């Protein structure tokens, strides 16, 4: 094979490829984008601008003159700015294209608007696009489409149409030939085939003239077929009077039985007594009233309708289409439900679970103090203790050491207290001045010098993915408890505690979140009615403030804010019974935890019509706990070691809490949701030791894990350092 032959072959292939590219070039075009809000709340009283949702309708990536159409399935739409736009045939009452401004697109009773213009001018108009509900059942939709000018776009089937004015009479055959020689937007043309009532209405409203369609019975009298396009050869009518489905071997194809019988004027299909084959009529045209008639090939018709789309293998090269679902809250029988919003559903469930988690942490803090007391038997002296670090899906961006040092060690260590001039005597004077202390002293002769002061600190980073609804959440908290207790008798310990805790909760990754501040006072008692048996009681009064930030439009990060306050009364009764085997103690226990939470009503603020007002509500919660603690007492020369292992089961018996809310823009419709519990049971395991030294130091280390019914877990590492002054 010669080099010249190879070279010529390469040239031939190159030219062939170039020709192919040229031939298909019309099928390549730019790609554009259409932006619409993801949701909108409207009513029947006034027009709501779509941009009020936080997302402004717009198009991008297009050049040249464009046709934009907006259709509402129900309700009314309009634009209030039409500067520099041009009229489009078939839209806003205009029968033909014109360079005049489409001012009638600003009417108050339109279900469809359309106009021509450049991208920039169209976006100026779309910024004023508004919707008003008409009370129709369901959730209306607004569909925005953009195509090159020169066609009509039917969003129902994705096809394009041209109504061609020949200027003089044109035969059906010539119209068919012209239509099939036409292309638009990368699609081949054909005389229109109408296959639905909505398509018939679309063509009638856009054309409004006598025009040829693609139907004919020229091959077999009374056997009407579509000629050309994706429905080529499909039989849609049998019989000259359209009252048969089968005749002379001609049978209506499936899906076309709608044409079996004659239709009255103005209805979809044949006009009365048509087709009648008067004078050998075998071509289909649509009349000005939208009904059909049969004509001969040469009768006086100067318009024809070209349809593009539906042919296998063809795809439009330039199209933009986006649909917005309106939550028309005033519509009678509307299916809109505010709590279908995932961000909202996740927020309200997380708010409830945050309060329950706060009460759980507070209860465990105090119960843990009573357990420690029973293990060690120590209560005398002034103590500052218990630094607790929660390791829950640890976030590496958090500096645990720095936060622990900043918030707890520096502030509450012996050195930190000394630097503030806080000594044992000062603390005793402070406790002496408390109303509770004065009451106990007067009534029960309890001296403050006999009180032991303790503290409990908690840092939690990362949180737990609780899988609320379809959105998980992450939490991070910091809490600190300071308490004081004393022995009422040899068999009874009484105390009180103050706890402050903050928490940050993130709802998914879209930006919804809330910050929670919690404060409470608790009273507790452990009583030994007989050897190796104890009864613990605990009662707390708390208050929580949750500052919320909720995303209502994810695409544009539009948010609304709120502040929810709640008050809590909660407590626990715990029965402990122990068995000793030499130096090993088995402590079994069961407890009943209860709570009553009162959530205040509140309203959201922000630049969105999706702001909600929430009613007040109550939440009653009950849980049962069962557990076992195995501990030992080991004596050394200068110290005693108390290692232990604890296993605990918790069953949440909480009933659903009903929350009611309404949009601030329309308080007439109220929405409800039942907030259930995210988990029903928990299993906890804890191990560690208490190490008491003769020099006054007590050290405690604990490792704890809690599993919540297979949906998440949390690990704790606890270090407790006690110095007896």
């Amino acid at each position: 094979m010669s080099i010249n032959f190879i070279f010529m072959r390469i040239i031939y292939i190159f030219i062939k490829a170039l020709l192919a590219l040229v031939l298909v070039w019309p099928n390549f075009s730019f790609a554009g984008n259409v932006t619409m809000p993801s949701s909108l709340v409207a009513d029947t009283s006034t027009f709501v601008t779509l941009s009020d949702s936080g997302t402004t309708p717009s198009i991008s990536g297009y050049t040249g003159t464009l046709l934009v159409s907006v259709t509402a399935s129900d309700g009314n739409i309009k634009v209030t700015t039409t500067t520099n736009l041009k009229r489009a045939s078939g839209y806003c009452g205009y029968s033909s294209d014109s360079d005049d401004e489409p001012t009638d697109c600003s009417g108050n009773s339109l279900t469809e608007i359309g106009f021509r213009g450049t991208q920039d001018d169209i976006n100026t108009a779309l910024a004023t696009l508004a919707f008003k509900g008409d009370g129709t059942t369901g959730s209306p939709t607004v569909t925005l489409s953009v195509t090159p000018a020169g066609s009509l776009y039917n969003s129902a089937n994705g096809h394009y149409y041209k109504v061609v004015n020949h200027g003089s009479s044109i035969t059906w055959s010539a119209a068919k030939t012209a239509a099939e020689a036409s292309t638009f937007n990368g699609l081949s043309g054909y005389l229109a085939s109408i296959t639905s009532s909505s398509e018939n209405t679309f063509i009638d409203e856009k054309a409004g003239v006598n025009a040829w369609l693609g139907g004919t019975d020229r091959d077999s009298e009374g056997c009407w077929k579509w000629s050309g396009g994706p429905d080529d050869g499909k039989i849609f009518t049998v019989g000259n009077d359209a009252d048969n489905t089968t005749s002379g071997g001609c049978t209506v194809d499936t899906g076309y039985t709608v044409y079996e019988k004659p239709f009255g004027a103005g209805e979809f299909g044949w006009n009365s007594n048509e087709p009648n084959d008067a004078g050998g009529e075998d071509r289909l045209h649509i009349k000005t009233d939208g009904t059909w008639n049969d004509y001969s090939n040469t009768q006086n018709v100067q318009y024809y309708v070209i349809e593009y789309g539906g042919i296998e293998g063809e795809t439009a090269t330039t199209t933009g289409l986006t649909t917005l679902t309106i939550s028309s809250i005033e519509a009678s029988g509307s299916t809109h439900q505010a709590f279908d919003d995932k961000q909202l559903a996740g927020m309200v469930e997380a708010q409830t679970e945050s309060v329950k988690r706060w009460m759980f942490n507070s209860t465990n803090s105090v119960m843990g103090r009573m357990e420690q007391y029973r293990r060690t038997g120590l209560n005398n002296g002034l103590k500052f203790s218990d630094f607790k670090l929660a390791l829950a899906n640890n976030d590496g961006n958090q500096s645990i050491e720095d936060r622990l040092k900043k918030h707890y060690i520096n502030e509450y260590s012996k050195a930190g207290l000394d630097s503030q001039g806080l000594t044992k005597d000062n603390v005793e004077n402070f406790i002496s001045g408390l109303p509770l202390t004065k009451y106990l002293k007067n009534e029960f002769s309890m001296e403050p010098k006999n009180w032991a002061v303790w503290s409990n600190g908690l840092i939690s980073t990362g949180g737990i993915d609780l899988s609320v609804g379809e959105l998980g959440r992450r939490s991070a908290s910091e809490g600190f408890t300071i308490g004081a207790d004393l022995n009422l008798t040899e068999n009874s310990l009484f105390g009180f505690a103050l706890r402050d805790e903050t928490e940050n909760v993130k709802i998914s990754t879209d930006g919804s979140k809330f910050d929670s501040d919690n404060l409470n006072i608790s009273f507790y008692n452990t009583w030994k009615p007989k050897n190796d048996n104890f009864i613990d009681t605990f009662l707390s009064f708390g208050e929580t403030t949750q500052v919320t930030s909720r995303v209502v439009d994810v695409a544009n990060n539009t948010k609304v804010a709120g502040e929810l306050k709640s008050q809590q009364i909660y407590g626990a009764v715990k029965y402990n019974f122990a068995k000793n085997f030499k130096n090993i103690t088995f402590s079994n226990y069961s407890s009943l935890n209860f709570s009553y939470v009162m959530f205040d009503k509140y309203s959201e603020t922000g630049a969105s019509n999706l702001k909600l007002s929430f009613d007040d509500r109550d939440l009653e919660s009950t849980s049962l706990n069962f557990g076992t603690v195995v501990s030992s007492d080991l004596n050394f020369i200068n110290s005693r070691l108390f290692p232990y292992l604890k296993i605990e089961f918790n069953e949440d018996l909480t009933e659903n809490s009903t929350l009611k809310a309404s949009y601030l823009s329309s308080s007439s419709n109220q929405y409800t949701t039942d907030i259930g519990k995210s988990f029903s049971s928990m299993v906890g395991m804890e191990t560690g030791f208490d190490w008491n030294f003769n020099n006054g130091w007590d050290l405690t280390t604990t490792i704890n894990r809690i599993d919540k019914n297979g949906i998440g877990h949390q690990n704790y590492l606890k270090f407790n350092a006690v110095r007896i002054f």
Side-chain angles (χ1 to χ4, degrees), residues 2 47 66 93 109 121 133 182 189 283 302 333 335 381 389 427 432 479 482 517 565 573 593 603 651 657 691 706:
S2 68
F47 278 91
L66 307 167
S109 59
D121 292 334
S182 173
R283 307 298 200 278
Q302 69 179 56
T335 59
L389 175 64
V427 174
S432 299
I482 185 168
D517 290 318
K565 293 182 178 293
V573 179
N593 298 346
S603 298
E651 184 67 23
S657 176
W691 203 346
I706 298 175

Side-chain angles (χ1 to χ4, degrees), residues 242-451:
D243 60 355
N244 300 307
T245 59
T246 303
S247 177
C250 180
T251 303
V252 172
D253 281 293
T254 303
Y256 294 96
T257 55
V258 67
Y259 309 122
E260 288 178 19
K261 297 180 181 180
F263 291 76
E267 295 184 298
F268 169 47
W270 296 102
N271 202 344
S272 297
N273 301 315
E274 302 289 349
N276 56 19
D277 195 34
E281 296 171 331
D282 54 12
R283 307 298 200 278
L284 175 66
H285 79 106
I286 188 170
K287 298 167 63 70
T288 56
D289 63 1
T291 61
W292 302 349
N293 184 32
D294 58 338
Y295 264 1
S296 67
N297 186 47
T298 59
Q299 283 183 280
N300 186 25
V301 177
Q302 69 179 56
Y303 293 90
Y304 58 95
V305 181
I306 307 177
E307 185 174 356
Y308 307 89
I311 297 177
E312 186 176 356
E314 292 189 344
T315 304
T317 58
T318 305
T319 290
L321 178 67
T322 301
T323 298
L324 160 69
T325 299
I326 306 291
S327 301
S328 187
I329 62 178
E330 291 294 337
S332 175
S334 173
T335 59
H336 173 70
Q337 168 58 261
F339 293 103
D340 289 342
D341 182 344
K342 297 179 182 178
Q343 299 288 331
L344 176 60
M347 174 72 74
V348 298
E349 291 193 25
Q351 287 175 317
T352 300
E353 287 302 321
S354 177
V355 173
K356 293 174 63 177
R357 186 164 51 251
W358 145 247
M359 294 187 295
F360 178 83
N361 291 343
S362 176
T363 301
N364 280 359
S365 174
V366 174
M367 289 297 189
R369 163 58 185 164
M370 288 188 279
E371 288 181 6
Q372 182 190 38
Y373 162 73
R374 286 195 298 273
R375 284 197 302 269
T376 63
L378 296 176
N379 173 249
N380 58 317
L382 183 64
K383 308 173 187 177
F384 295 93
S385 64
D386 201 5
F387 304 102
K388 186 177 183 181
L389 175 64
L391 304 175
N393 305 319
N394 191 24
D395 186 350
N397 295 325
Q398 302 282 347
S399 177
I400 303 299
E401 183 179 356
D402 291 345
R403 294 174 65 183
L404 183 64
K405 184 177 180 182
K406 175 183 177 182
H407 292 283
Y408 300 113
I409 296 179
N410 286 350
E411 185 173 359
Y412 298 106
S413 66
K414 174 79 164 51
L417 296 173
D418 290 343
S419 67
Q420 301 174 46
L422 184 60
T423 64
K424 175 182 177 181
D425 293 335
N426 290 341
V427 174
E428 290 180 354
N429 291 334
F430 169 76
I431 295 175
S432 299
L434 294 174
L436 176 63
T437 307
K438 293 180 179 180
Y439 174 80
L440 294 174
K441 180 179 180 181
N442 294 333
E443 296 296 326
F444 303 100
S445 300
M446 299 180 186
E447 297 292 336
K449 66 181 181 180
N450 297 322
W451 289 74

